[in-house]
Structure formats: C-alpha cells, structure tokens
Amino acid sequence: MSTGAAAVWGRAEQQDFRSRVRGALLGGAVGDALGAGVSGLALEEIRAAHGVEGVADYVPAHGRRGAVTALTQLTLFTVDGLIRAQVRRDTGAWHPPTDVHRAHLRWASTQHHWGPDERRDDNGWLAAEEWLYVRRDPTRECLGGFGDTVMGTLDRPKNPTARDAGALTRSAPFGLLVGWEPGLVLQLAVECAAQSHGHPAAQHAAGAFAVLVHGLARGESLDAAVQNTLALLADRPGHEPVTEALRQALGSVRQGIPGPALIEALGATDAAEEVLAVGVYCALVSEDIRHGLRLAVNHSGPSRATGSVCGALLGALHGETALPPAWLVELEGRATLLQLADDFAMEMTQGPALHTPSAVAPGWLARYPRT
C-alpha cells in the first residue's frame, strides 16, 4: 500500500496538524465520557434524571466523572498501531492492517484477567498504562473479533452480520493520515473494520468517518468533507445505507431547530450508519463544541457512540483549543491521550528524523517496537 510522496512540513503546518490531532482524539474521548452515563437510556429517562435539558455536564459513570469507555480505549490502540506501522515500514514490512490488528489484540489483552500480560518492557508504552486495564462496556463484536489471533479480512470478516458502531467509533485515527489520498484512507478503515465487523454498512460507516476526519484535518469545511465522502462512497458496492444516512443528516440541517426529535429521526439504534448520521448532524448544526456534544448525547440511543463521533469531528475541525477546558480537566486518561496524539503528530511530520532503515532513535523504538 503506497501513500505517495512524503510531505514537507513547515512549522505552522506542524502546529496546526498537532492541534487537529489532539482535537480529534480529545474531542472523541470527551464525547464518549459525556455520553457514558446516559448511553442507551430513553430521552424521558435522561430528562427524569438530569432535568428537562438533559445532560449538560459529565455525570458519574464507572465510578467517576469523565470516565471513558472501550470506544476511547480502542481508538488509542488504533493510533498506536498506525505509529508502529510507520516504524516497521523501515524493515520492509508494510501492511498497516496487520499492525492495527496487532494493536487491537493488545487492547483485548487488557480486557481479561487471563491470557498474556502486555505490560512488558519490550512491548511499548501504551500497553503498560495501568488505567487501561479495566473493562468499560466493550461490545461483544469487538471482544469476539479480537478474541484470537486470526485477522478478519474483507473476504473473511469476523462477525459477518455485525452492523453496530464498534468499528466506526475507533476509526477517526485513520483520517489523521493526512499525507494519504482519501481513497486509501477509506480502504484502510474498511479493511480494519472487517477485523471485527462483517456487515458492509459497518465497514463503510467506518470508512466514511475516517474520510470525514481526513478532510477536516486537511482544512476542509464539514459540509465539503461530507460531499467529498459521498463521492468516494458512490463506487463501492454496499455503500447505499451509509450514503443514505449521510444524505439524511445533510437534509435534516434545514428542517428546523436542532433537537432530540430530529436526531432520533436519523436513528436511535446502534447501527453504524445511524450513529454516523447523528454524529455528523450534531456537528453540522453545532454553535460550538459544547452545544454540539450536548445535542449528540441527549436523545434515545447510544449516546457515548454518537458523542464520540461528534466530538472527534468537531475536534478535528476546530483543534484542541476549542474544546471546553472544564471537560478536559476531568477527562480520564487525558495525559495518555495527549502523549499519544503528540507522538502521532511527530511521527507523521518528522518520522525521518526518528527512524530510517539503517538507524532508529532508541527512545522511539522503546515506545514503538518493530515487533
């Protein structure tokens, strides 16, 4: 898989890119945490517990405010896998889906009391983060997909009928590969989705989400990113549910004041294309990130997933400084998210200064081993 010629990055471009990477990863995590305490509840239940306006701030989930779930855990390991793919490229081994799969197997090991312990000195830094060794409502499809070392492929996907948003919500990092062409970003996200989700709608939703983030990280408007994503999807067999969902999200923007009724008309289940449509719609109509995320979690449906998608889109669009500071302060794992975001940005903009086929910075190799 070739990504074309390496880009030459100026200092201002590097700073802008790092801000968007941080924004996408932190924004997705904030949306996940904001929705974690109400995900799956009916709107009436949310209002009964939190008032007529619903959730306006973090509510306790998993024993604390600002707790993230498996959605954020898996996203972190996706980033780790992409960095390792770049490092391993020097060895002549270049197959990013394999490196992402290996990363998700490391995530799976954090979810069990049995099996291999990934907290080894030779296994990189992320798998040694103790706070990740806790189960936060992972989907059965993700646990099953990464329950053994066999990698699902497009020809032989894991969980052939799985249509939920478990692959979608871990796919924002693919879009941060801004040096890649959009079609390659789409293909990589789809291939990696097949490692746990076999339904074409789940795979194409993951690919569409990645391409949306890619456009935003490259400086496009959200509306332009949606239009470009629709054009890319058009030639792919089985794209119709995702294409229709995105078109409905665009159409809903002109249908009145944003609120739960319009959101739930886009979908109230965990089907990947519905979660994507809700996240995109809330980002399109948002006045700011706080407003968009509150819309994204206050409805009957999978609030953590829709919040995560909306947060990643708005974070990639506006950068980290637009995120609400009060929510960042309480966000679980913020230091890890920031470190990983900065490492990703450094690898993508300054990789040749860190490693070549003949030499590699020892500290970098310890963080991201080639094995």
Side-chain angles (χ1 to χ4, degrees), residues 46 125 132 160 224 319 356:
I46 295 174
W125 74 281
L132 291 171
T356 67

Side-chain angles (χ1 to χ4, degrees), residues 51-75:
V52 68
E53 298 298 324
V55 172
D57 198 351
Y58 291 142
V59 297
H62 305 288
R64 58 161 291 169
R65 286 167 54 94
V68 298
T69 77
L71 309 187
T72 297
Q73 293 175 342
L74 276 160
T75 300

Side-chain angles (χ1 to χ4, degrees), residues 1-7 89 179-181 184:
M1 186 179 293
S2 173
T3 60
R89 189 175 189 175
W180 291 38
E181 291 303 313
L184 290 177

Side-chain angles (χ1 to χ4, degrees), residues 43-44 46-47 52-54 257-268 278 281-282 294-300:
L43 178 62
E44 294 75 14
I46 295 174
R47 286 174 169 170
V52 68
E53 298 298 324
I257 298 174
L262 282 173
I263 291 169
E264 291 176 20
L266 293 171
V278 170
Y281 168 76
C282 292
R294 286 174 173 170
L295 284 172
V297 303
N298 283 297
H299 57 84
S300 301

Side-chain angles (χ1 to χ4, degrees), residues 87-333:
V87 175
R88 278 170 51 83
R89 189 175 189 175
D90 292 334
T91 69
W94 178 238
H95 192 247
T98 295
D99 291 296
V100 171
H101 182 249
R102 289 173 174 170
H104 290 152
L105 293 180
R106 291 191 290 276
W107 166 79
S109 294
T110 69
Q111 302 298 293
H112 304 291
H113 297 299
W114 48 267
D117 190 334
E118 299 294 337
R119 288 166 283 193
R120 307 190 312 267
D121 290 340
D122 63 346
N123 204 31
W125 74 281
L126 185 63
E129 292 287 288
E130 291 289 339
W131 73 275
L132 291 171
Y133 283 75
V134 60
R135 186 175 286 199
R136 293 285 177 77
D137 296 331
T139 66
R140 289 178 298 174
E141 291 76 12
C142 288
L143 286 174
F146 304 119
D148 57 47
T149 59
V150 177
M151 186 173 77
T153 64
L154 292 177
D155 291 334
R156 291 189 173 182
K158 292 290 188 73
N159 302 311
T161 62
R163 192 172 185 159
D164 67 273
L168 162 70
T169 52
R170 65 175 188 256
S171 295
F174 301 120
L176 299 172
L177 297 168
V178 295
W180 291 38
E181 291 303 313
L184 290 177
V185 169
L186 175 65
Q187 183 64 24
L188 177 60
V190 168
E191 288 186 26
C192 291
Q195 295 171 7
S196 60
H197 287 70
H199 197 287
Q203 296 170 4
H204 286 116
F209 182 36
V211 174
L212 288 168
V213 171
H214 187 257
L216 299 177
R218 282 182 159 189
E220 295 175 6
S221 69
L222 181 52
D223 186 74
V226 174
Q227 297 295 345
N228 291 337
T229 299
L230 287 169
L232 270 180
L233 286 173
D235 294 329
R236 299 188 66 95
H239 72 90
E240 290 83 2
V242 177
T243 293
E244 180 60 24
L246 287 174
R247 286 176 175 162
Q248 288 182 2
L250 287 173
S252 295
V253 172
R254 300 183 293 274
Q255 291 181 9
I257 298 174
L262 282 173
I263 291 169
E264 291 176 20
L266 293 171
T269 77
D270 66 351
E273 70 272 23
E274 293 184 5
V275 170
L276 179 64
V278 170
V280 168
Y281 168 76
C282 292
L284 283 167
V285 299
S286 63
E287 299 170 1
D288 54 31
I289 291 181
R290 188 184 299 273
H291 175 246
L293 286 178
R294 286 174 173 170
L295 284 172
V297 303
N298 283 297
H299 57 84
S300 301
S303 298
R304 62 174 181 150
T306 52
S308 178
V309 170
C310 179
L313 293 172
L314 290 173
L317 176 63
H318 298 296
E320 64 166 322
T321 57
L323 296 169
W327 287 351
L328 290 176
V329 166
E330 292 188 272
L331 181 65
E332 182 181 29

